[in-house]
């Protein structure tokens, strides 16, 4: 089976390289059809990654997409790195970032609640943390730890609050990429907008 995720990443990089030095998060791809008889223009606009997925789907069948993995994008990239699969490593990181930034609820807003679930490992029990997205002091957003369920004195105390950030333009990037979307539940206005692990 071909590594379509790696090929999709390479197509994405090729599209992004069309404008040297461009900020990749601000790039779009536009395909236009001009109909002179009807004096109309029909367009498709999307990210370089979305265009690459369509190209890969046409060439190889699945566009490099797969069901939501049960590993974080960072863990998937590390796994590819161990296999010396540069395309897979880049694809894991780009795909993870794209899944975040193209989610219907993105970007984060003040008042959002972010819950992170950790599985138990060895003697460390399963536990969770809840963070609040709040306005920062300098115009960006803060991710503030509200509560956790790790019992006092457990060996994982140093992990608690590790995803808190101050004045960050994208406060969810680190928790999304490191913990993984499958471990997150995001609530906005009392309604879940992302439920990790949901199938």
């Amino acid at each position: 089976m071909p590594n379509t995720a790696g090929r999709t990443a390479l197509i994405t990089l090729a599209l992004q390289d069309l404008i040297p030095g461009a900020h990749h998060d601000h790039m779009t791809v536009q395909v236009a059809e001009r109909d002179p008889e009807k004096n109309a223009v029909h367009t498709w606009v999307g990210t370089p990654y979305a265009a690459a997925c369509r190209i890969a789907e046409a060439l190889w069948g699945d566009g490099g997409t797969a069901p939501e993995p049960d590993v974080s994008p960072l863990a998937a990239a590390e796994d590819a790195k161990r296999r010396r699969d540069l395309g897979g490593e880049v694809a894991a990181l780009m795909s993870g970032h794209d899944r975040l930034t193209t989610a219907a609820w993105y970007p984060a807003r003040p008042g959002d609640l972010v819950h992170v679930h950790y599985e138990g490992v060895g003697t460390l029990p399963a536990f969770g943390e809840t963070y609040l997205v709040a306005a920062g002091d300098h115009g960006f957003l803060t991710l503030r730890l509200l509560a956790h369920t790790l019992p006092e004195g457990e060996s994982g105390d140093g992990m608690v609050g590790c995803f808190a950030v101050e004045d960050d333009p994208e406060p969810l990037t680190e928790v999304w990429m490191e913990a993984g979307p499958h471990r997150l539940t995001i609530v906005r206005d009392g309604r879940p907008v992302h439920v990790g692990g949901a199938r």
Side-chain angles (χ1 to χ4, degrees):
M1 171 171 268
N3 178 1
T4 52
R7 290 175 177 176
T8 301
L10 293 174
I11 295 169
T12 303
L13 289 172
L15 291 171
Q16 291 170 335
D17 286 346
L18 290 172
I19 305 174
H23 192 287
H24 294 171
D25 289 341
H26 301 158
M27 291 185 76
T28 59
V29 174
Q30 178 176 351
V31 179
E33 174 206 18
R34 298 192 189 283
D35 187 341
E37 292 179 13
K38 296 179 181 175
N39 198 22
V41 176
H42 305 100
T43 62
W44 177 90
V45 178
T47 64
Y49 177 77
C53 285
R54 288 187 175 225
I55 293 167
E57 183 173 4
L59 293 174
W60 300 293
D62 75 353
T65 60
E68 186 73 46
D70 286 333
V71 297
S72 71
L74 187 61
E78 289 294 327
D79 184 48
K81 185 176 185 177
R82 278 191 295 278
R83 294 190 318 267
R84 296 179 182 227
D85 176 6
L86 179 60
E89 183 180 355
V90 171
L93 295 172
M94 290 178 65
S95 172
H97 185 261
D98 196 64
R99 283 196 316 268
L100 170 62
T101 59
T102 60
W105 49 265
Y106 182 85
R109 296 182 195 161
D112 288 354
L113 294 173
V114 180
H115 183 78
V116 186
H117 169 75
Y118 299 96
E119 297 293 336
V121 178
T123 60
L124 185 67
F127 74 99
E129 295 179 303
T130 302
Y131 293 86
L132 171 69
V133 177
D137 293 334
H138 302 290
F140 294 118
L141 295 174
T142 294
L143 195 58
R144 182 180 313 139
L145 179 68
L146 287 181
H148 69 87
T149 60
L150 183 66
E152 292 293 325
E154 287 292 338
S155 60
D157 278 340
M159 312 176 38
V160 172
C162 65
F163 293 116
V165 296
E166 294 288 332
D167 268 315
D168 192 312
E170 294 198 23
L172 300 186
T173 299
E174 185 176 3
V175 68
W176 183 274
M177 297 297 282
E178 288 191 27
H182 65 293
R183 292 204 172 137
L184 303 182
T185 300
I186 300 171
V187 177
R188 175 172 292 159
D189 301 328
R191 304 240 182 231
V193 293
H194 173 82
V195 180
R199 292 278 184 244

